[in-house]
Amino acid sequence: MDTDPLLAVSDLHAGYGETEVLHGVDLAVGKGEIVAVLGSNGVGKSTLNRTISGVLRAKRGSIRFAGHAIEQEKPPKIVMRGLIHVPEGRCVFPNLSVRDNLDLGSYRRARDHRQQNRDGVFGIFPRLAERQSQSAGSLSGGEQQMLAIGRGLMAEPILLILDEPSLGLSPLLVEELFALIQRINQQGIALLLVEQNVVQSLEVAHRAYILENGSVVLNGASDQLRSDPNLKRAYLGL
Amino acid sequence: MLSPAILIPAIINGLLIGAIYALIALGLTLIYGVLHIINFAHGALLSAALFAAFFAFRLLGLDPYVSVFLLAPAFFTLGYVLQRFIIGPASHGDDRNMLLVTLGLAVIIENALLYAFRADTRTIDVPYAFQTINLGFTFLAVPRVVGFCAVFAVAFALWVIMTFTDTGRAIRAVAKEKLGAQLAGIDVAHVYAVTFGLGTACVAIAACLLIPTYYVNPRVGDAFVLVAFTIVVLGGMGSVPGALVGALLIGVAESLSGLFLGESLGQIGIFLIFIVVLLVRPSGLFGARA
């Protein structure tokens, strides 16, 4: 790991109202790294993402991104810094065209490069180019996932958080997705990949954290985790 | 049966009146479509705008068709500030609370107007108030024709903003997908305030179009907003084309039932149509089916 990580979360407590979901999470993502956060449903993965991207306010602890404390900042400011969160369930704008969805990805950041980045996204996802004037609500689940990722790329992210991107995709599309994640990473973009799909995530990620009941119970290099007997038993069914 | 010579002018007049309703309904449906609340302060803001247009004429000598270019931006700013610094913060993050705050705001605005200007009814005198255009078979009142054209110019301008600007796209995005919008870096509080400002600017424009032939008192806005609310439900909550078509329909219904049942019963037609549409199409003319 880098001595000065791109994203450093330490002792993070967060939740909804009185309910605390995260009980002191520590996590780091280095520049250009793919880091996976793994865990089953309801362990706090989405809460972690929402707190990092500023939608939820941290109750305690710190979040540093590219040398700035961001735990008190709101989403527009955090987006401006280049930390982009592609949410679970895609959250595309169903009433807007595919093209308008992408353009809004550069609402806050990289607006000057809109056209060029849109062409770039269309290069990665030719299907979106074909459907650019169709409304996003009429796309299939897989296409909406592409659109959500494309919208994230429009902001020229330094760190891209992908929240359960493989959810609801066919096995073939999941293969494509993980190939795409590596391709995005090769452009120098760091990724925080939050997934239930443990096997495939460990294949693309450099390092991973295992989240259980709002705490990190295990972390390390992916190779090392793949052979961890506890992880094998709990998540890989071996 | 009445002859076309009476019927057609009545329909045309209904369309002209309907256009002003459309503008008020447009503001209401815009705010509903994005903030998902009924703005109860809409009527009070219309009364306030009518007073503003009245005093712009009386004190500054500005014709309403001139002062509209000052009052529209002024009321946009007023709406923006109300939403951003009063309604939004007072609702503490729960959008449903905004409804109650607008209700409170309506009470405050109306009573402030009542306190400042008393319950007197006021009118202005402009030279073109009773001018007409002769179409051969009927006469059209000039202020109503101006109003009709202005409303469609405003609707067109709104369509351009909503379709071709980032702010408009952001407004439409927030309307349907708030979390996605936040994560795209869109400041939702700002978008809410811009939307409220646009709705309030619509009211100010409507006031300037109304004042040449209408009167103003502190409660005058309520009557219009009741009709406008009917139009919004009729057209489909949050639908802009629905508000336009619904308003024209309501204008004609009011005009025709005035013709058949007498002027004082004109509004019965509005509510009859309203009930029939809700029985046949509960989501409104342009509303998405549940």
Side-chain angles (χ1 to χ4, degrees), chain A residues 50 53 55 75-76 79 84-88 91-97 100 103-108 111 114 151, chain B residues 162-163 165-188 190-191:
Chain A
R50 287 182 182 197
S53 56
V55 176
V79 166
I84 311 296
H85 173 185
V86 178
E88 180 186 352
C91 294
V92 297
F93 310 124
N95 51 333
L96 267 64
S97 69
D100 282 351
D103 287 0
L104 279 182
S106 55
Y107 178 85
R108 188 63 63 180
R111 195 182 297 209
R114 176 173 285 180
R151 184 176 67 192
Chain B
M162 289 303 196
T163 312
T165 70
D166 261 18
T167 303
R169 291 187 189 108
I171 289 173
R172 283 154 62 216
V174 168
K176 293 283 181 205
E177 182 46 70
K178 205 166 129 186
L179 177 63
Q182 276 180 298
L183 294 177
I186 294 168
D187 183 346
V188 173
H190 171 74
V191 166

Side-chain angles (χ1 to χ4, degrees), chain B residues 127-148:
Chain B
Y128 50 81
F130 296 103
Q131 275 177 16
T132 53
I133 300 167
N134 189 352
L135 290 183
F137 61 96
T138 185
F139 294 93
L140 299 180
V142 166
R144 285 192 175 165
V145 174
V146 170
F148 189 85

Side-chain angles (χ1 to χ4, degrees), chain B residues 205-218:
Chain B
I205 297 168
C208 292
L209 299 174
L210 275 172
I211 195 74
T213 56
Y214 214 72
Y215 58 88
V216 54
N217 69 41

Side-chain angles (χ1 to χ4, degrees), chain B residues 72-82 197:
Chain B
F75 271 73
F76 173 86
T77 311
L78 174 67
Y80 186 97
V81 168
L82 284 178

